[in-house]
């Protein structure tokens, strides 16, 4: 009986099949990595407590107002959004000798013991007609201001920026404690007031 | 003259294409690994705003999306041009958010329900009114971890 030679399978069309699959995936998928500003909303107000009752001194609040024309009023001054960060940074850092700047309260901070911590709060209020783009810009500047202040302090105290500490925190407890301490000195307090609808349609 | 000159008339051997499938498969696997499937068909135009302080969203499986923007061109005839909310594949009103949040929570394990990030993909020209309504609604249903989707940029402009 003659042994029949096994014929080789022609793999020439393999490339076509692979291309077909490749193109299918190219079309159906999105490449974008998701990025964004991460924020935490305040829990829903409880019916019993009256929000008006919380009394905060004017000097402890940095008020940011955005109107329907995307104009910005920061602590009573009309400024462009590009100058907001510097002003907020100045406010967060504070100045113990200036009666206009926020008060200090002695608090227990890990690694530092009892030190005065600024009672700063940044309050953001926007109009219903404000554009989302402007809102994001303002949020961005506020978050940026906190980050930069923390970075500077961490640099001074530990010789590493806060960003670096956060990256290293996963590996070592020491850095994680340092990051926590910096966070405790400059807690991010961005409060969003209920929006007003003065200028413009929804 | 030269010793090294070759006979000019040798025919070029055909380049073997046997490794072509390998190359293409490599590309294919690269794309399969790096990309995610498009889950929803967008019915609203969303041009994301730009920001400098953006963070990367970890754990895609724990992210739910809410889209807000003008309806796309082909739907403007029937839905108008006012900004709308899109949940999953359909237009919604803010009252639907409650159900949406519950359904999204049901999809996850019990332990992970409070770790869901709600990614708001909002068009940059939308007015804050509708965004605020959504935010208030999210507060009511205790969905508090919000991510304002934005693209990374080096510098924000005036």
């Amino acid at each position: 009986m003659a042994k029949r030679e096994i014929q080789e399978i022609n793999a020439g069309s393999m490339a076509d099949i692979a291309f077909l699959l490749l193109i299918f995936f190219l079309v159906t998928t999105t490449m974008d990595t998701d990025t964004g500003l991460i924020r935490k909303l305040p829990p829903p107000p409880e019916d019993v407590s009256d929000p008006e009752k919380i009394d905060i001194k004017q000097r402890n609040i940095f008020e940011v107002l955005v109107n329907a024309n995307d104009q910005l009023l920061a602590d009573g001054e009309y400024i462009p959004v590009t100058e907001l960060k510097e002003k907020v940074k100045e406010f967060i850092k504070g100045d113990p000798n200036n009666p206009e700047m926020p008060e200090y309260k002695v608090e227990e901070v890990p690694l530092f013991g009892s030190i005065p911590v600024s009672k700063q709060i940044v309050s953001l209020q926007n109009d219903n007609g404000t554009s989302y783009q402007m809102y994001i810009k303002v949020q961005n500047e506020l978050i940026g201001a906190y980050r930069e202040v923390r970075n500077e302090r961490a640099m001074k105290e530990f010789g590493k920026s806060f960003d670096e500490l956060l990256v290293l925190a996963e590996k070592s407890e020491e850095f994680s404690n340092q990051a926590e301490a910096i966070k405790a000195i400059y807690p991010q307090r961005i409060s969003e007031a209920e929006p007003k609808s003065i200028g413009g349609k929804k | 003259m030269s010793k090294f000159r070759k006979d000019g008339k040798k025919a070029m051997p055909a380049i073997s294409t046997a490794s072509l499938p390998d190359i293409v498969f490599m590309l294919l696997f690269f794309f399969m690994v790096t990309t995610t499937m498009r889950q929803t068909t967008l019915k609203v135009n969303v041009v994301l705003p730009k920001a400098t302080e953006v963070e990367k969203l970890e754990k895609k499986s724990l992210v739910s999306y809410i889209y807000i923007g003008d309806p796309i061109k082909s739907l403007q005839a029937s839905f108008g041009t006012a900004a709308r909310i899109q949940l999953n594949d359909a237009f919604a009103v803010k009252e639907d958010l409650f159900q949406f949040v519950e359904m999204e929570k049901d999809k996850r394990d019990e332990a992970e329900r409070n770790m869901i990030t709600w990614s708001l993909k909002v068009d940059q020209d939308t007015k804050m009114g509708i965004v605020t309504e959504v935010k208030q609604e999210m507060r009511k249903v205790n969905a508090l971890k919000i991510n304002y989707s934005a693209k990374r940029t080096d510098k924000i402009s005036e």
Side-chain angles (χ1 to χ4, degrees):
Chain A
M1 215 157 116
K3 229 187 201 167
R4 216 194 272 167
E5 220 174 287
I6 297 169
Q7 266 196 327
E8 212 176 306
I9 297 168
N10 183 12
S13 54
M14 182 90 121
D16 300 356
I17 298 166
F19 261 123
L20 211 76
L21 274 169
L22 175 65
I23 289 165
F24 170 75
F25 271 95
L26 275 176
V27 170
T28 54
T29 55
T30 49
M31 194 65 166
D32 58 350
T33 46
D34 250 322
T35 53
L37 304 175
I38 293 166
R39 307 284 305 131
K40 200 129 201 196
L41 294 179
E46 277 160 38
D47 300 323
V48 223
S49 73
D50 187 359
E52 299 297 318
K53 271 187 192 144
I54 305 165
D55 204 19
I56 296 161
K57 281 193 190 144
Q58 195 59 45
R59 63 184 273 197
N60 294 340
I61 302 179
F62 186 92
E63 212 175 13
V64 183
L65 302 171
V66 193
N67 75 0
N69 299 324
D70 291 354
Q71 290 159 321
L72 196 67
L73 198 72
D75 221 18
E77 270 180 78
Y78 173 48
I79 55 165
V81 70
T82 39
E83 288 169 24
L84 180 64
K85 198 193 270 178
E86 277 311 311
K87 276 195 74 115
V88 178
K89 272 175 73 177
E90 216 172 281
F91 173 81
I92 300 169
K93 275 190 245 166
D95 178 3
N97 303 319
N98 189 342
E100 301 277 296
M101 285 294 190
E103 292 173 301
Y104 283 82
K105 190 180 159 202
V106 175
E107 270 180 46
E108 197 65 40
V109 176
L111 299 184
F112 288 93
S114 296
I115 57 160
V117 172
S118 171
K119 286 167 116 182
Q120 40 82 20
I121 291 180
V122 178
S123 159
L124 168 62
Q125 186 167 40
N126 58 271
D127 192 275
N128 273 340
T130 308
S131 80
Y132 184 67
Q133 194 173 17
M134 186 65 190
Y135 175 76
I136 289 297
K137 272 186 200 166
V138 173
Q139 282 273 9
N140 184 60
E141 293 306 279
L142 297 183
I143 297 171
Y146 273 102
R147 195 175 58 88
E148 282 182 19
V149 170
R150 284 171 176 181
N151 272 346
E152 283 166 23
R153 186 65 183 257
M155 210 63 188
K156 210 176 102 198
E157 305 282 354
F158 306 118
K160 280 196 168 53
S161 75
F162 183 68
D163 293 338
E164 286 172 315
L165 287 181
L166 282 186
V167 175
L168 294 169
E170 283 169 27
K171 289 175 203 134
S172 110
E173 202 164 322
E174 183 197 350
F175 292 122
S176 133
N177 286 341
Q178 290 178 351
E180 285 305 314
I182 293 292
K183 247 193 216 173
I185 298 175
Y186 298 116
Q188 199 182 68
R189 298 203 191 103
I190 302 175
S191 134
E192 287 185 55
E194 307 272 312
K196 294 222 167 74
S197 183
I198 303 164
K201 54 207 186 303
K202 277 199 290 190
Chain B
M1 275 285 281
S2 158
K3 265 183 176 175
F4 301 109
R5 194 190 290 162
K6 286 182 180 162
D7 292 325
K9 286 200 176 142
K10 234 182 209 169
M12 268 273 265
I15 297 169
S16 164
T17 54
S19 57
L20 190 60
D22 301 354
I23 297 165
V24 177
F25 267 118
M26 211 165 69
L27 268 173
L28 175 65
F29 288 140
F30 170 73
F31 276 100
M32 277 173 68
V33 170
T34 55
T35 57
T36 49
M37 279 277 184
R38 213 185 280 275
Q39 279 171 345
T40 50
T41 325
L42 277 186
K43 287 186 169 182
V44 292
N45 291 316
V46 174
V47 179
L48 294 175
K50 293 191 169 64
T52 58
E53 305 292 328
V54 296
E55 288 167 63
K56 221 170 158 183
L57 263 184
E58 311 282 344
K59 280 209 176 175
K60 277 254 165 75
S61 60
L62 280 176
V63 181
S64 291
Y65 299 94
I66 297 166
Y67 302 89
I68 304 174
D70 310 337
I72 53 170
K73 259 259 155 68
S74 55
L75 292 170
Q76 279 182 4
S78 41
F79 291 99
T81 53
R84 275 169 176 273
I85 307 165
Q86 182 186 348
L87 302 173
N88 293 328
D89 270 337
F91 285 127
V93 287
K94 62 174 181 172
E95 284 78 15
D96 296 334
L97 272 167
F98 172 74
Q99 205 186 0
F100 173 72
V101 168
E102 290 305 315
M103 271 167 65
E104 291 293 313
K105 279 187 182 168
D106 267 354
K107 277 189 208 164
R108 270 84 178 191
D109 291 340
E110 202 142 355
E112 293 179 329
R113 277 186 197 161
N114 288 322
M115 290 152 64
I116 302 177
T117 306
W118 306 90
S119 178
L120 290 180
K121 290 195 180 252
V122 185
D123 187 75
Q124 56 179 3
D125 295 322
T126 314
K127 299 290 179 206
M128 275 309 287
I130 187 164
V131 182
T132 309
E133 279 175 14
V134 169
K135 269 162 64 187
Q136 295 294 357
E137 209 63 29
M138 299 299 278
R139 277 180 68 189
K140 269 189 221 161
V141 294
N142 244 317
L144 303 177
K145 223 175 147 199
I146 295 283
N147 172 58
Y148 299 111
S149 203
K151 288 229 163 68
R152 185 185 289 281
T153 178
D154 293 331
K155 196 170 174 294
I156 64 155
S157 54
E158 178 50 17

